[in-house]
Amino acid sequence: AAGVIQSPRHLIKEKRETATLKCYPIPRHDTVYWYQQGPGQDPQFLISFYEKMQSDKGSIPDRFSAQQFSDYHSELNMSSLELGDSALYFCASSFRQGTEAFFGQGTRLTVV
Amino acid sequence: AQSVAQPEDQVNVAEGNPLTVKCTYSVSGNPYLFWYVQYPNRGLQFLLKYITGDNLVKGSYGFEAEFNKSQTSFHLKKPSALVSDSALYFCAVRALSRDDKIIFGKGTRLHILP
């Protein structure tokens, strides 16, 4: 069965650079979530989209932005990267009226 | 606001023994409750969920969880632990509302001792 696809799997950036993370949800899922997981931490909710519209916002820095496109894939754009942005970034998808969300393998971002 | 508490950072269990990983939740209204497992450098894998109905739900890899509304708990259980069950386990809650994000607990690291 198709799963949530994230790219790239690993990314190394320098401070003050920009990064773009991509997420391709499970086909027909209408909701996409982004989470950030720091080392030894639980996943922190960043932002979600339902039918290409932002539906909820969590602890996402103003330096980050995200959108969902017409084909339902989503991108998380991160600017002015800081060392503290180094983390595992997960995308997940689900049905809005459904229950569980399915997670991708994550993108490991390292800011140096 | 919804929240999840996992009171134990780490649980150690001998292989073959039963295991329990504890979780309590706080949410307005009826919750959706989940358990996810994370292996090193891997994504979060869905284990099981409680939506409604029978308080004992069964999931993947022989895991089950018991929903207790009066105690607002959703403990993860397995009758006989395997070394391969060693991983990080997250309890999560999703409220049935417009604000539908999934909130995770801090996680419990499960060590199964051979």
Side-chain angles (χ1 to χ4, degrees):
Chain A
V4 177
I5 305 298
Q6 290 187 247
S7 67
R9 291 292 309 278
H10 302 273
L11 192 57
I12 299 175
K13 290 286 186 178
E14 295 187 354
K15 283 193 304 183
R16 293 179 289 277
E17 284 194 317
T18 298
T20 298
L21 279 53
K22 296 185 178 183
C23 169
Y24 297 86
I26 291 172
R28 293 184 297 282
H29 278 186
D30 52 22
T31 302
V32 166
Y33 309 84
W34 285 97
Y35 286 83
Q36 177 192 58
Q37 186 180 31
Q41 303 293 315
D42 55 297
Q44 294 292 313
F45 172 74
L46 292 177
I47 195 168
S48 63
F49 293 87
Y50 168 63
E51 286 291 345
K52 294 158 280 185
M53 298 289 289
Q54 181 182 310
S55 64
D56 199 2
K57 199 170 182 180
S59 51
I60 184 169
D62 292 340
R63 298 178 289 108
F64 295 6
S65 65
Q67 57 182 326
Q68 188 177 26
F69 294 86
S70 58
D71 64 352
Y72 289 89
H73 94 272
S74 179
E75 295 184 1
L76 178 66
N77 298 294
M78 311 159 71
S79 63
S80 303
L81 287 169
E82 302 173 356
L83 295 178
D85 296 329
S86 296
L88 197 51
Y89 290 84
F90 288 111
C91 172
S93 73
S94 75
F95 292 112
R96 171 77 170 192
Q97 298 302 322
T99 56
E100 68 271 27
F102 294 91
F103 285 76
Q105 292 296 298
T107 294
R108 182 168 296 282
L109 173 66
T110 303
V111 181
V112 297
Chain B
Q2 60 212 45
S3 65
V4 177
Q6 293 181 245
E8 303 152 318
D9 291 336
Q10 181 169 310
V11 171
N12 297 321
V13 177
E15 187 177 25
N17 282 2
L19 69 86
T20 298
V21 182
K22 296 179 180 177
C23 170
T24 58
Y25 67 91
S26 173
V27 67
S28 300
N30 295 320
Y32 288 157
L33 294 162
F34 313 97
W35 277 99
Y36 286 85
V37 60
Q38 186 176 30
Y39 296 98
N41 298 312
R42 299 292 297 276
L44 292 155
Q45 296 180 33
F46 169 74
L47 273 183
L48 50 79
K49 65 185 177 188
Y50 172 81
I51 306 303
T52 187
D54 193 349
N55 289 344
L56 184 66
V57 294
K58 295 187 183 297
S60 307
Y61 312 119
F63 283 94
E64 57 190 28
E66 187 168 12
F67 171 68
N68 187 317
K69 188 172 183 178
S70 63
Q71 297 184 4
T72 61
S73 67
F74 188 56
H75 301 330
L76 181 70
K77 301 181 179 183
K78 186 172 182 180
S80 178
L82 300 173
V83 172
S84 57
D85 293 330
S86 298
L88 188 56
Y89 290 80
F90 290 99
C91 182
V93 64
R94 182 181 186 185
L96 298 180
S97 67
R98 182 176 169 274
D99 176 9
D100 67 342
K101 59 182 175 288
I102 297 175
I103 299 299
F104 288 88
K106 295 296 184 185
T108 298
R109 188 163 298 282
L110 180 62
H111 285 287
I112 307 302
L113 310 171

Short mmCIF file of all heavy atoms in Angstrom, two decimals, chain B residues 33-61:
data_model
loop_
_atom_site.label_atom_id
_atom_site.label_comp_id
_atom_site.label_asym_id
_atom_site.label_seq_id
_atom_site.Cartn_x
_atom_site.Cartn_y
_atom_site.Cartn_z
N LEU B 33 -8.01 8.09 20.45
CA LEU B 33 -6.76 7.78 21.14
C LEU B 33 -5.94 6.81 20.31
O LEU B 33 -6.49 5.90 19.69
CB LEU B 33 -7.06 7.16 22.52
CG LEU B 33 -7.74 8.11 23.50
CD1 LEU B 33 -8.38 7.32 24.63
CD2 LEU B 33 -6.74 9.11 24.05
N PHE B 34 -4.63 7.03 20.31
CA PHE B 34 -3.74 6.23 19.47
C PHE B 34 -2.48 5.85 20.23
O PHE B 34 -2.08 6.52 21.17
CB PHE B 34 -3.30 7.03 18.23
CG PHE B 34 -4.40 7.73 17.51
CD1 PHE B 34 -4.67 9.07 17.75
CD2 PHE B 34 -5.18 7.07 16.59
CE1 PHE B 34 -5.68 9.73 17.09
CE2 PHE B 34 -6.20 7.71 15.93
CZ PHE B 34 -6.45 9.05 16.18
N TRP B 35 -1.87 4.78 19.75
CA TRP B 35 -0.49 4.47 20.12
C TRP B 35 0.32 4.34 18.84
O TRP B 35 -0.11 3.71 17.86
CB TRP B 35 -0.40 3.16 20.91
CG TRP B 35 -0.69 3.32 22.36
CD1 TRP B 35 -1.86 3.06 23.01
CD2 TRP B 35 0.22 3.77 23.36
NE1 TRP B 35 -1.74 3.33 24.35
CE2 TRP B 35 -0.47 3.77 24.59
CE3 TRP B 35 1.56 4.17 23.35
CZ2 TRP B 35 0.13 4.15 25.79
CZ3 TRP B 35 2.15 4.56 24.54
CH2 TRP B 35 1.45 4.54 25.75
N TYR B 36 1.51 4.98 18.89
CA TYR B 36 2.47 4.88 17.80
C TYR B 36 3.78 4.36 18.37
O TYR B 36 4.10 4.58 19.54
CB TYR B 36 2.72 6.26 17.18
CG TYR B 36 1.61 6.78 16.31
CD1 TYR B 36 0.53 7.47 16.87
CD2 TYR B 36 1.64 6.63 14.92
CE1 TYR B 36 -0.50 7.96 16.07
CE2 TYR B 36 0.62 7.11 14.12
CZ TYR B 36 -0.43 7.79 14.70
OH TYR B 36 -1.44 8.28 13.90
N VAL B 37 4.57 3.70 17.52
CA VAL B 37 5.88 3.21 17.92
C VAL B 37 6.92 3.82 16.98
O VAL B 37 6.67 4.00 15.79
CB VAL B 37 5.95 1.67 17.91
CG1 VAL B 37 5.65 1.11 16.53
CG2 VAL B 37 7.31 1.18 18.40
N GLN B 38 8.07 4.13 17.56
CA GLN B 38 9.16 4.69 16.75
C GLN B 38 10.43 3.93 17.03
O GLN B 38 10.90 3.86 18.16
CB GLN B 38 9.35 6.18 17.08
CG GLN B 38 10.36 6.86 16.18
CD GLN B 38 10.46 8.35 16.46
OE1 GLN B 38 10.26 8.82 17.56
NE2 GLN B 38 10.75 9.13 15.42
N TYR B 39 11.00 3.36 15.96
CA TYR B 39 12.29 2.70 16.05
C TYR B 39 13.37 3.73 15.70
O TYR B 39 13.09 4.74 15.04
CB TYR B 39 12.33 1.49 15.12
CG TYR B 39 11.33 0.43 15.52
CD1 TYR B 39 10.09 0.33 14.90
CD2 TYR B 39 11.62 -0.46 16.55
CE1 TYR B 39 9.16 -0.62 15.30
CE2 TYR B 39 10.70 -1.41 16.94
CZ TYR B 39 9.47 -1.48 16.32
OH TYR B 39 8.56 -2.42 16.71
N PRO B 40 14.62 3.49 16.09
CA PRO B 40 15.68 4.49 15.87
C PRO B 40 15.74 4.96 14.43
O PRO B 40 15.75 4.14 13.50
CB PRO B 40 16.95 3.73 16.28
CG PRO B 40 16.47 2.74 17.29
CD PRO B 40 15.11 2.31 16.82
N ASN B 41 15.79 6.27 14.27
CA ASN B 41 15.92 6.91 12.95
C ASN B 41 14.82 6.48 11.99
O ASN B 41 15.05 6.42 10.78
CB ASN B 41 17.30 6.59 12.35
CG ASN B 41 18.42 7.13 13.20
OD1 ASN B 41 18.40 8.27 13.62
ND2 ASN B 41 19.38 6.28 13.49
N ARG B 42 13.65 6.21 12.54
CA ARG B 42 12.53 5.82 11.70
C ARG B 42 11.34 6.72 11.98
O ARG B 42 11.30 7.48 12.93
CB ARG B 42 12.15 4.36 11.99
CG ARG B 42 13.23 3.35 11.71
CD ARG B 42 13.54 3.23 10.22
NE ARG B 42 12.39 2.75 9.47
CZ ARG B 42 12.07 1.47 9.34
NH1 ARG B 42 12.80 0.54 9.92
NH2 ARG B 42 11.01 1.12 8.64
N GLY B 43 10.35 6.59 11.12
CA GLY B 43 9.12 7.34 11.31
C GLY B 43 8.26 6.73 12.39
O GLY B 43 8.62 5.74 13.03
N LEU B 44 7.12 7.34 12.59
CA LEU B 44 6.15 6.86 13.58
C LEU B 44 5.22 5.84 12.92
O LEU B 44 4.59 6.13 11.91
CB LEU B 44 5.33 8.03 14.12
CG LEU B 44 6.13 9.01 14.97
CD1 LEU B 44 5.49 10.37 14.94
CD2 LEU B 44 6.21 8.50 16.39
N GLN B 45 5.15 4.67 13.52
CA GLN B 45 4.29 3.62 12.98
C GLN B 45 3.04 3.50 13.84
O GLN B 45 3.12 3.40 15.06
CB GLN B 45 5.02 2.29 12.96
CG GLN B 45 6.22 2.24 12.05
CD GLN B 45 6.88 0.88 12.08
OE1 GLN B 45 6.22 -0.14 12.24
NE2 GLN B 45 8.19 0.85 11.93
N PHE B 46 1.91 3.51 13.19
CA PHE B 46 0.63 3.38 13.89
C PHE B 46 0.48 1.96 14.43
O PHE B 46 0.72 0.98 13.72
CB PHE B 46 -0.49 3.70 12.91
CG PHE B 46 -1.86 3.36 13.39
CD1 PHE B 46 -2.47 4.13 14.35
CD2 PHE B 46 -2.53 2.26 12.90
CE1 PHE B 46 -3.74 3.81 14.80
CE2 PHE B 46 -3.80 1.94 13.34
CZ PHE B 46 -4.41 2.71 14.30
N LEU B 47 0.09 1.85 15.72
CA LEU B 47 -0.10 0.55 16.36
C LEU B 47 -1.57 0.21 16.51
O LEU B 47 -2.00 -0.89 16.15
CB LEU B 47 0.53 0.54 17.75
CG LEU B 47 1.99 0.18 17.90
CD1 LEU B 47 2.37 0.17 19.37
CD2 LEU B 47 2.30 -1.16 17.26
N LEU B 48 -2.31 1.13 17.11
CA LEU B 48 -3.72 0.85 17.36
C LEU B 48 -4.45 2.14 17.72
O LEU B 48 -3.81 3.17 17.98
CB LEU B 48 -3.91 -0.18 18.48
CG LEU B 48 -3.17 0.03 19.79
CD1 LEU B 48 -3.86 1.05 20.67
CD2 LEU B 48 -3.07 -1.30 20.55
N LYS B 49 -5.77 2.06 17.76
CA LYS B 49 -6.59 3.23 18.04
C LYS B 49 -7.84 2.83 18.82
O LYS B 49 -8.30 1.69 18.74
CB LYS B 49 -7.01 3.90 16.73
CG LYS B 49 -7.93 3.03 15.89
CD LYS B 49 -8.23 3.67 14.54
CE LYS B 49 -9.11 2.75 13.69
NZ LYS B 49 -9.27 3.26 12.32
N TYR B 50 -8.34 3.80 19.57
CA TYR B 50 -9.66 3.67 20.19
C TYR B 50 -10.53 4.82 19.68
O TYR B 50 -10.14 5.99 19.77
CB TYR B 50 -9.59 3.74 21.72
CG TYR B 50 -10.98 3.80 22.32
CD1 TYR B 50 -11.72 2.63 22.49
CD2 TYR B 50 -11.57 5.01 22.66
CE1 TYR B 50 -13.01 2.68 23.00
CE2 TYR B 50 -12.86 5.06 23.16
CZ TYR B 50 -13.57 3.90 23.33
OH TYR B 50 -14.85 3.95 23.82
N ILE B 51 -11.69 4.46 19.17
CA ILE B 51 -12.63 5.47 18.70
C ILE B 51 -13.90 5.39 19.53
O ILE B 51 -14.32 6.35 20.16
CB ILE B 51 -12.97 5.27 17.21
CG1 ILE B 51 -11.68 5.23 16.39
CG2 ILE B 51 -13.89 6.38 16.72
CD1 ILE B 51 -10.81 6.43 16.53
N THR B 52 -14.48 4.23 19.54
CA THR B 52 -15.70 3.99 20.30
C THR B 52 -15.89 2.49 20.39
O THR B 52 -15.19 1.72 19.74
CB THR B 52 -16.92 4.65 19.61
OG1 THR B 52 -18.06 4.53 20.46
CG2 THR B 52 -17.21 3.99 18.28
N GLY B 53 -16.81 2.08 21.25
CA GLY B 53 -17.11 0.65 21.32
C GLY B 53 -16.33 -0.05 22.42
O GLY B 53 -16.12 0.49 23.51
N ASP B 54 -15.87 -1.25 22.13
CA ASP B 54 -15.20 -2.10 23.10
C ASP B 54 -13.99 -1.37 23.69
O ASP B 54 -13.16 -0.82 22.95
CB ASP B 54 -14.76 -3.39 22.42
CG ASP B 54 -14.34 -4.46 23.41
OD1 ASP B 54 -14.19 -4.14 24.61
OD2 ASP B 54 -14.17 -5.61 22.98
N ASN B 55 -13.88 -1.40 25.00
CA ASN B 55 -12.79 -0.68 25.66
C ASN B 55 -11.44 -1.31 25.44
O ASN B 55 -10.41 -0.67 25.66
CB ASN B 55 -13.07 -0.58 27.16
CG ASN B 55 -14.20 0.38 27.47
OD1 ASN B 55 -14.57 1.19 26.62
ND2 ASN B 55 -14.73 0.29 28.66
N LEU B 56 -11.39 -2.56 25.04
CA LEU B 56 -10.13 -3.23 24.76
C LEU B 56 -9.95 -3.31 23.25
O LEU B 56 -10.75 -3.93 22.55
CB LEU B 56 -10.12 -4.63 25.38
CG LEU B 56 -8.80 -5.40 25.25
CD1 LEU B 56 -7.70 -4.71 26.05
CD2 LEU B 56 -8.97 -6.84 25.71
N VAL B 57 -8.92 -2.65 22.78
CA VAL B 57 -8.67 -2.64 21.34
C VAL B 57 -7.38 -3.39 21.04
O VAL B 57 -6.42 -3.31 21.81
CB VAL B 57 -8.60 -1.22 20.77
CG1 VAL B 57 -9.95 -0.55 20.88
CG2 VAL B 57 -7.55 -0.38 21.48
N LYS B 58 -7.38 -4.10 19.95
CA LYS B 58 -6.21 -4.87 19.56
C LYS B 58 -5.56 -4.21 18.35
O LYS B 58 -6.24 -3.63 17.49
CB LYS B 58 -6.62 -6.31 19.24
CG LYS B 58 -7.15 -7.06 20.47
CD LYS B 58 -7.39 -8.51 20.16
CE LYS B 58 -8.00 -9.24 21.36
NZ LYS B 58 -7.07 -9.23 22.53
N GLY B 59 -4.22 -4.31 18.33
CA GLY B 59 -3.50 -3.68 17.24
C GLY B 59 -2.43 -4.58 16.66
O GLY B 59 -2.50 -5.80 16.76
N SER B 60 -1.44 -3.92 16.09
CA SER B 60 -0.37 -4.64 15.40
C SER B 60 0.58 -5.28 16.40
O SER B 60 0.70 -4.83 17.53
CB SER B 60 0.41 -3.69 14.50
OG SER B 60 -0.43 -2.99 13.62
N TYR B 61 1.28 -6.35 15.93
CA TYR B 61 2.36 -7.00 16.67
C TYR B 61 1.94 -7.53 18.03
O TYR B 61 2.75 -7.62 18.94
CB TYR B 61 3.55 -6.04 16.83
CG TYR B 61 3.95 -5.34 15.55
CD1 TYR B 61 3.90 -3.96 15.46
CD2 TYR B 61 4.35 -6.06 14.43
CE1 TYR B 61 4.25 -3.30 14.28
CE2 TYR B 61 4.70 -5.42 13.25
CZ TYR B 61 4.65 -4.04 13.19
OH TYR B 61 4.99 -3.39 12.03
#
